[in-house]
Amino acid sequence: MIELIGVYKNFGEKEVLRNVGMTIRKGEIFTLIGPSGTGKSTILRLINLLDVPTEGEIFFEGIDTSGPEKTRLQLRRRMSMVFQKPAALRGDVFDNIAAPLRFRKVPVEDIRKRVPEALELVGLSGYESRKASTLSGGEMQRVAIARAVVTRPEVLLLDEPTANLDPVSTEKVENLVHTINSRFGTTIILSTHDMDQGQRLAHRIAVVLSRTIGQTGTAHEIFYQPRNRDVAHMVGVENILEGMVKNNEEGLTIIDIEGYDIAATSDCPTGSRVTAYIRPEDLVLSTAEFPGSSLRNRFLGRITKVVAMGPMVKVRIDCGIRLISVITKRSFDELEIEEGGSVHVYFKASAVHVVRID
Amino acid sequence: MNDIIEGFTQAFQLIVTLNPEVMGITIRSLFISLSATFLASIIAIPLGGLIHFREFGGKKGLITVIQALYALPTVLAGLFVFLLISRSGPFGFLGLMFTPTGMIFGQMVLIIPLMIGMTLIALSGVRKNIQDTIVSLGADEFQSILTIIKEARFAILGGVILGFGRAISEVGAAMIIGGNIRGYTRILTTAIALETSQGNLPLSIALGLILLFIALIVTTILFLVQER
C-alpha cells in the first residue's frame, strides 16, 4: 500500500530522518513506536505528502509521490491525518467535519448525511452545532477523527492519538481505531510512545530510534526477539548480556557470560560472540531451592535494589552477572524478600533471545 | 479665545442643522474613501495571500519594500497618480484628473501597501498547525488560501479598517488629484485646509469634528474586531 525507500529528511542543517525504509500493507494497523523527537511525526507527515523527503522515495499503491502537486493532491485526498494536537477550524463541529468534503466538492445533500454518520461513529451524535472551541481534549480528538474518516480514506494516519488524553478517553480512541480498521478495512498508521498501546493495537510495529527504523515486525518479534541493543532497551528488555557461545548442541546453546554459563536456544555456532536478551518478566524468583526441570538456568544471588512500580516490583539481583526481574507486588510480598537478602533466580533456556554480534 | 468659542458654537449649529454643504462634503468623503478601501481590499488581500503562500526569489525584499510604503507620504502618492493620469500621462486619455474616480485611484495607491502588509501579518498569525490541517484535509491551493484567509478574517479586517482610516484622513493626494473643486472633489480634509486658510473657522471646526468622529468610530471598530 505504502512504501518508503531510503528516505532522508533534513530541516535546514538538522537531520531528522536517516535511511528510513518500510512497507505498510493494505488493511493493517501499523504502529510507529519510539520516544518523542525521534522522527515519528515527520514520517507521518511525509506519508501524508505534507513534506517532501530530502532524499529517497515514497510510493502510494505503486505510484511515485514525487510527482506534480496535482498528483500529490489526488493521492492526499485518498488519505487522512489526525495530528497530535488537532486544530479546530473556525465555525462549529459540523463545519469542521464538512470541511474535507467541501474541499472534495461532495454535494451538499451527501455532506448533510455523512457528517452525522461520522459523529455517530465517534460517539458524539448531536454535537453538530457545538462551537469547536468549547470541546474538551478528548472530544476534540474524536471530532478530528470524525473529520478524518468522513472522507472514507484508504489510509488513516494518527499521530500520537492518545498522548494528551486521560485513560477513559484513551480507551475510547483505541476502540475507535479497531472499529475503523475492522469495519471499513482502512489501513491505519499510528505513532505512539506507549509500548503497551503499540502492542494492543498493532498488527505490525516499527521501532523508531534516533532518526531511523530500528526494527519492523509483529509485537511478538519486537518484544521477544529484538534485533539489537537499542530496540531491546526501547521495548523494555532489561537484561542485555554479552558473551561467547561455548557449546551448541541441536539448538541448546551454552553461553559463557563473564565466567557464568547460561543456557539458551539458538543456532549460533560455538565460538561466536553473542548478545543475550532476557525480558525481566521471564525471571522467576524463589527463596527455596526449586526442583522444576524445565527451568535450565539457576542462579543464587543477592538482592541489590528493590523499586516499586505500581502493581509491579523491579528487583535487581547480583548473581555474579547482574539481572533484573520484574514480578507482581503480590508475589513480591509473598516471597518476603528484601534488599540485601539472597534469592534464587530461574529462567527457561527458551526465554533467552540470542543475537550474534558480527 | 472668543473666536474659538464662537467657532465651536457655529460649528455645532452647522452639524445639528445638517447643513447641506457640510453633509455634502462628508458624504463625498465617505464615498471616495469607502470605494478606495473596498477596491484596494479586492486587490490587496488576494495579493497578500499570494505573497504569503508562494515561495519566490526576492520575497523578503518585496515585503521590505511593501513595509517601507506604509509610510508613503500622501503627496507622493498624489504625485505618482498625477504623473499617470494627467493629460500628458500614459492614462491621460481616461480623463480622470480632477475627478472623484481619480481621487479613489490615488487613495488606493496610498493604502494598498498597508493593506497587503496587514494581510501578510494576519496570515502569518494563523498557526502552522491550522495550515497543515487545511492542506491535510485535501484542500487545493486556491481552497487553502481561501480557508486560511477565512481563519484570519478578523485580523485582515483590522488591516482594512486601518487602510480606511489612512484614506479618509489623507489630504495630499486628494488635493493634487482632486483639486478641491467645490461640490465635486472637495472632501473633509481638503475643505478643512482651504477653509482654515480663508479664516472660515466655524466650517473648518465642524468638518474637523466630523472627521474626528469618523476616526473615533474607525478606532472603536478596530478595537472591537481585535477583541474577537
Side-chain angles (χ1 to χ4, degrees), chain B residues 122-139:
Chain B
L123 291 178
S124 50
V126 175
R127 295 197 314 278
K128 180 82 170 61
N129 62 348
I130 295 263
Q131 304 192 22
D132 283 342
T133 301
I134 292 167
V135 174
S136 176
L137 288 176

Side-chain angles (χ1 to χ4, degrees), chain A residues 275-348:
Chain A
T275 309
Y277 300 103
I278 313 158
R279 294 199 67 84
E281 308 84 25
D282 286 338
L283 299 187
V284 180
L285 301 187
S286 167
T287 43
E289 189 83 37
F290 213 62
S293 62
S294 71
L295 303 168
R296 281 185 180 273
N297 294 292
R298 299 148 179 252
F299 293 94
L300 181 62
R302 192 174 56 83
I303 298 170
T304 55
K305 198 164 175 59
V306 175
V307 183
M309 303 187 303
M312 307 301 280
V313 178
K314 187 191 271 191
V315 185
R316 290 177 185 271
I317 308 133
D318 186 355
C319 313
I321 39 182
R322 286 165 195 280
L323 295 172
I324 296 170
S325 169
V326 171
I327 56 176
T328 63
K329 180 84 170 57
R330 191 184 298 272
S331 5
F332 178 79
D333 290 342
E334 283 169 2
L335 277 170
E336 294 178 345
I337 50 176
E338 55 183 18
E339 272 183 32
S342 63
V343 71
H344 292 277
V345 183
Y346 301 90
F347 53 94
K348 292 182 183 176

Side-chain angles (χ1 to χ4, degrees), chain A residues 121 149 152-154 176 178-187:
Chain A
L121 178 73
V149 297
R152 296 167 192 158
E154 293 164 56
L176 201 51
H178 261 304
T179 308
I180 293 165
N181 175 256
S182 54
R183 198 188 294 176
F184 307 113
T186 314
T187 307

